[in-house]
Amino acid sequence: MKKWQKISAAIVTATILAAGVPSGVGAQAASVPYIFDLSQSGTLKEGSRGENVKIMQRALNREMGAELTEDGIFGPNTKTAVLAFQKTKSELKNDGIYGPATHKALSLEFNTWGFSNEVLKVGSRGEAVKTLQRGLKDMSYHVAVDGVYGPQTRDAVIKFQERFPSLANDGIFGPRTKEVMDKVLND
């Protein structure tokens, strides 16, 4: 494991322990990793300015390839990019206004690895397992990306879990392990 990954893991562990993140499936829904605090304005729309607009533009550039100038000015190009993002999500209203639902969706895209919410363990198969295996591989664990949760994947998950005292070393990719791995991969 690379030095920066060890440092990131230590920081994530300290943050999780200090924050006292609740466990369980309900905690997953409550812990959206927002890219900034939208509560001050409630929405961003054409004419808005500031650091939050700049952060939103950066996220749209990364997630949508929007090629926006990250200048903190919500102009016509930013509105078009917001609208394009909204059209990729069936649950979003396509209005070009960056409100709470769009904020949540973009934050989840930007700050998560794309793991499934299902619990994965030996015997699990499919795209969710491949996503987990890609994440493990990205962290230098030696696993095949074959979509089969076998002994090799279980052992890599256990090695990951052993790095964090708050995780059970059971080889099961459940909500707590997903949350920690997401933070490690995105920090």
Side-chain angles (χ1 to χ4, degrees), residues 17 22 26 33 43 47 60 65-66 71 75 82 85 95-96 115 118 133 139 143:
L17 292 174
T43 62
L60 288 166
D71 57 5
V82 169
F85 176 75
D95 59 5
F115 294 124
E118 64 186 286
Q133 291 168 330
M139 292 184 293
V143 295

Side-chain angles (χ1 to χ4, degrees), residues 72-136:
I73 301 169
F74 197 129
N77 292 340
T78 301
K79 180 178 180 177
T80 300
V82 169
L83 191 56
F85 176 75
Q86 290 170 332
K87 287 180 179 179
T88 68
K89 308 288 180 195
S90 61
E91 71 275 9
L92 296 179
K93 183 177 178 183
N94 300 328
D95 59 5
I97 296 172
Y98 190 83
T102 303
H103 183 52
K104 180 178 180 181
L106 183 60
S107 294
L108 286 170
E109 288 264 325
F110 190 78
N111 285 327
T112 62
W113 187 257
F115 294 124
S116 165
N117 286 331
E118 64 186 286
V119 173
L120 303 174
K121 57 188 175 190
V122 172
S124 297
R125 294 177 175 272
E127 285 304 312
V129 176
K130 283 184 180 179
T131 301
L132 167 61
Q133 291 168 330
R134 282 192 285 277
L136 290 165

Side-chain angles (χ1 to χ4, degrees), residues 4 28 34 47 49 77 81 94 103 118 121 130 135 139 141 145 154-155 173 180-181:
W4 69 268
Q28 264 181 292
Y34 288 109
R49 294 174 173 261
N77 292 340
N94 300 328
H103 183 52
E118 64 186 286
K121 57 188 175 190
K130 283 184 180 179
M139 292 184 293
Y141 292 99
V145 180
R154 181 200 62 223
D155 292 346
F173 188 72
V180 173
M181 193 177 291

Side-chain angles (χ1 to χ4, degrees), residues 24-83:
V25 176
Q28 264 181 292
S31 62
V32 174
Y34 288 109
I35 55 178
F36 60 83
D37 182 12
L38 185 64
S39 65
Q40 294 171 340
S41 64
T43 62
L44 298 173
K45 56 188 175 190
E46 199 163 4
S48 297
R49 294 174 173 261
E51 189 62 28
N52 288 349
V53 174
K54 186 183 280 189
I55 294 167
M56 176 193 61
Q57 290 168 326
R58 187 174 306 123
L60 288 166
N61 283 340
R62 188 178 102 186
E63 297 307 316
M64 299 291 296
E67 298 181 10
L68 297 169
T69 301
E70 296 172 19
D71 57 5
I73 301 169
F74 197 129
N77 292 340
T78 301
K79 180 178 180 177
T80 300
V82 169
L83 191 56

